[in-house]
């Protein structure tokens, strides 16, 4: 191959986000953000004069398909860098393939923590970057009696275990834990609503994901509960789920995340404007999409620096710089492959938009095993409360 041909050869990267299935709503935002970042890079001349070429498959929200497509990407398509996965079950399905082929997975989703893989870069929030702050806010604002509701798979179980630890630290009590099927229907929440009525918690902590989220919030509203007194608080209810359920159903409920579509910084406004210009004014821009977006820029900047997509070289070079992401300046922690992020808490307003109610304005070092920080590290004295 001549030098001119080599110069035009593309950087092929794998992309695995579900366009169908139970979590397709949120994963489509991640896919769109990934493609937006690639388009920006290519419009600027690519990486070292070579375009980035995404090789995309739709795993349909099924872990087995994620694993199968990951194998195909590494064995047949010969990619070395993989961007993808939402549910922890899909990440866990893909990681053995990534590690076996000595590739590198970029995972842009909040998760339950307590994991490290040399072959994975975690760009979503770890528990000390969302759960800890959310627990402190809820205990100080609403009360200490919690009811947990989650989907029946690994992330909700582990997230609830961590949240229970934080609640107990704050002298609170978990009244019950209830789990519904991953593909939950409206009827699956009958027992949840009955339990809420019986226990009258101060807060409902939800780790329901995917299409079942809207069903849960609709059931809550139909039951006549008041979110100003007993909100649903979540890590996984984003702009995508709010768009699905509607503003009237979502109003008053709370989410913790590093990014919200309503952030007013120049970088955030530019990202949201570009996203909506590409995918439509009504396209939801989520924290998971923002992580999917900035991780592509991080990865390809490392490729440019080392002149190779060799995972070992990319990994080594990625740890040497920071990136001005829409949420704020981020970087990968060389100790654990997780990312320094900016925790925030927001409440949904009457127009279905997240309005920030707590923003400490600090970047938090990732602590995926929660061995350093405690509830006492986070004061809510300066939070902006919006109770109306």
């Amino acid at each position: 191959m001549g030098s001119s041909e080599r110069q035009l050869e593309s950087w092929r990267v794998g992309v695995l986000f579900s366009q169908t299935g139970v979590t397709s709503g949120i994963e489509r935002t991640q896919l769109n953000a990934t493609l937006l970042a690639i388009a920006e890079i290519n419009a600027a001349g690519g990486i070292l004069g070579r375009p980035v070429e995404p090789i995309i498959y739709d795993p349909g929200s099924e872990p087995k398909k994620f694993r199968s497509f990951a194998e195909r990407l590494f064995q047949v398509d010969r990619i070395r860098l993989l961007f993808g996965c939402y549910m922890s079950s899909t990440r866990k399905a893909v990681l053995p393939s990534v590690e076996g082929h000595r590739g590198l997975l970029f995972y842009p989703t909040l998760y339950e923590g307590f994991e490290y893989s040399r072959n994975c870069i975690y760009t979503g929030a770890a528990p000390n970057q969302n759960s800890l702050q959310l627990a402190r806010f809820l205990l100080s604002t609403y009360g200490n009696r919690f009811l947990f509701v989650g989907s029946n798979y690994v992330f909700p179980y582990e997230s609830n275990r961590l949240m229970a630890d934080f609640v107990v630290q704050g002298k609170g009590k978990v009244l019950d834990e209830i789990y519904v099927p991953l593909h939950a229907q409206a009827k699956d929440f009958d027992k949840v609503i009955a339990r809420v009525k019986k226990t009258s918690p101060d807060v409902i902590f939800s780790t329901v994901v995917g299409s079942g989220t809207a069903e849960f919030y609709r059931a809550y509203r139909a039951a006549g509960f008041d979110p100003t007194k007993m909100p649903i608080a979540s890590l996984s209810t984003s702009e995508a789920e709010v768009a699905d359920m509607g503003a009237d159903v979502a109003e008053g409920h709370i989410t913790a995340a590093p990014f919200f579509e309503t952030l007013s910084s120049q970088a955030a406004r530019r990202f949201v404007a570009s996203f909506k210009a590409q995918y439509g004014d009504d396209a939801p821009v989520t924290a998971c999409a923002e992580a999917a977006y900035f991780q592509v820029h991080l990865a390809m900047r490392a490729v440019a620096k080392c002149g190779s997509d060799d995972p070992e070289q990319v990994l080594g070079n990625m740890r040497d710089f920071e990136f001005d992401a829409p949420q704020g300046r981020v970087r990968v922690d060389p100790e654990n492959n997780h990312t320094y992020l900016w925790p925030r808490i927001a409440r949904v307003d009457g127009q279905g938009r997240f309005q920030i109610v707590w923003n400490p304005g600090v970047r938090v070092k990732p602590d995926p095993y929660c061995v350093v920080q405690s509830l006492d590290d986070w004061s809510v004295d300066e939070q902006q409360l919006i109770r109306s």
Side-chain angles (χ1 to χ4, degrees):
M1 182 182 295
S3 59
S4 61
E5 293 177 277
R6 187 177 301 277
Q7 186 176 8
L8 295 175
E9 182 184 6
S10 62
W11 301 100
R12 292 160 63 89
V13 298
V15 179
L16 284 183
F17 292 113
S18 300
Q19 300 167 60
T20 56
V22 67
T23 54
S24 58
I26 184 69
E27 292 194 54
R28 275 195 296 268
T29 74
Q30 293 176 299
L31 172 62
N32 288 345
T34 300
L35 297 180
L36 176 62
I38 290 173
E40 289 177 352
I41 291 168
N42 288 341
I47 302 299
L48 303 178
R50 297 163 55 182
V52 180
E53 178 188 356
I55 310 299
I56 305 168
Y57 295 108
D58 174 16
S61 307
E62 297 182 17
K64 289 183 179 179
K65 289 186 178 180
F66 270 90
R67 176 68 180 271
S68 175
F69 282 130
E71 282 291 319
R72 179 171 176 174
L73 283 163
F74 285 112
Q75 290 186 345
V76 178
D77 299 308
R78 313 301 293 177
I79 64 100
R80 305 171 92 175
L81 307 179
L82 175 60
F83 302 93
C85 301
Y86 176 73
M87 290 188 290
S88 286
S89 55
T90 64
R91 183 192 71 254
K92 289 180 180 293
V94 162
L95 269 178
S97 179
V98 176
E99 292 169 346
H101 292 284
R102 297 183 179 179
L104 191 56
L105 170 66
F106 292 83
Y107 178 60
T109 308
L110 68 134
Y111 87 115
E112 66 278 1
F114 291 85
E115 181 179 289
Y116 167 81
S117 171
R118 179 173 173 78
N119 300 82
C120 184
I121 299 294
Y122 306 78
T123 58
N128 79 304
Q129 297 166 319
N130 56 11
S131 297
L132 193 64
Q133 295 81 4
L134 182 59
R136 188 72 176 90
F137 175 84
L138 296 171
L139 286 162
S140 300
T141 309
Y142 293 99
N144 63 2
R145 301 170 69 255
F146 284 60
L147 180 71
F148 291 175
V149 183
S151 298
N152 189 16
Y153 79 105
V154 61
F155 164 70
Y157 282 103
E158 289 301 304
S159 290
N160 285 342
R161 179 182 63 81
L162 280 167
M163 182 60 77
D165 288 344
F166 297 145
V167 169
V168 171
Q169 279 186 41
K171 297 180 173 57
K173 181 180 181 182
V174 178
L175 304 175
D176 202 357
E177 290 186 39
I178 308 172
Y179 293 92
V180 298
L182 181 58
H183 296 266
Q185 306 297 314
K187 61 182 176 60
D188 293 311
F189 293 100
D190 291 345
K191 63 180 180 180
V192 175
I193 297 303
R195 192 66 177 142
V196 173
K197 289 179 178 179
K198 185 174 182 178
T199 59
S200 297
D202 298 315
V203 176
I204 302 169
F205 177 59
S206 173
T207 48
V208 177
V209 303
S211 56
T213 303
E215 297 292 355
F216 179 29
Y217 284 61
R218 290 186 188 115
Y220 173 104
R221 179 174 172 79
F225 299 134
D226 184 355
T228 66
K229 297 178 180 178
M230 182 187 65
I232 299 174
S234 177
L235 306 172
S236 53
T237 300
S238 72
E239 288 85 349
E241 287 79 17
V242 170
D244 186 20
M245 69 182 76
D248 59 330
V249 174
E251 183 180 3
H253 297 299
I254 296 167
T255 294
F259 174 85
F260 293 98
E261 188 177 300
T262 50
L263 287 184
S264 60
S265 69
Q266 184 177 352
R269 290 199 304 267
R270 184 169 56 247
F271 168 57
V272 170
S274 297
F275 193 101
K276 291 181 178 291
Q278 184 69 30
Y279 303 111
D281 289 339
D282 294 331
V285 190
T286 67
C288 291
E290 190 258 357
Y293 171 82
F294 81 67
Q295 70 177 16
V296 173
H297 281 286
L298 271 177
M300 300 317 295
R301 181 176 291 188
V303 169
K305 185 176 181 182
C306 65
S308 170
D309 62 355
D310 174 72
E312 282 295 321
Q313 294 188 52
V314 170
L315 188 60
N317 280 275
M318 180 172 292
R319 294 164 170 167
D320 294 337
F321 55 77
E322 301 188 343
F323 179 73
D324 287 319
Q327 66 175 273
R329 181 165 290 189
V330 299
R331 72 179 180 91
V332 175
D333 190 331
E335 295 179 359
N336 55 41
N337 281 9
H338 290 65
T339 311
Y340 282 72
L341 300 175
W342 301 77
R344 296 174 171 99
I345 297 172
R347 183 184 290 113
V348 184
D349 68 14
Q351 288 70 51
R353 293 168 61 81
F354 281 102
Q355 300 299 336
I356 304 293
V357 295
W358 184 78
N359 182 5
V362 296
R363 187 173 71 168
V364 176
K365 174 183 170 66
D367 180 19
Y369 293 91
C370 292
V371 296
V372 178
Q373 289 183 305
S374 71
L375 217 59
D376 293 335
D377 295 329
W378 293 95
S379 170
V380 293
D381 292 342
E382 297 178 3
Q383 68 198 13
Q384 304 167 37
L385 296 181
I386 305 173
R387 298 302 300 270
S388 60

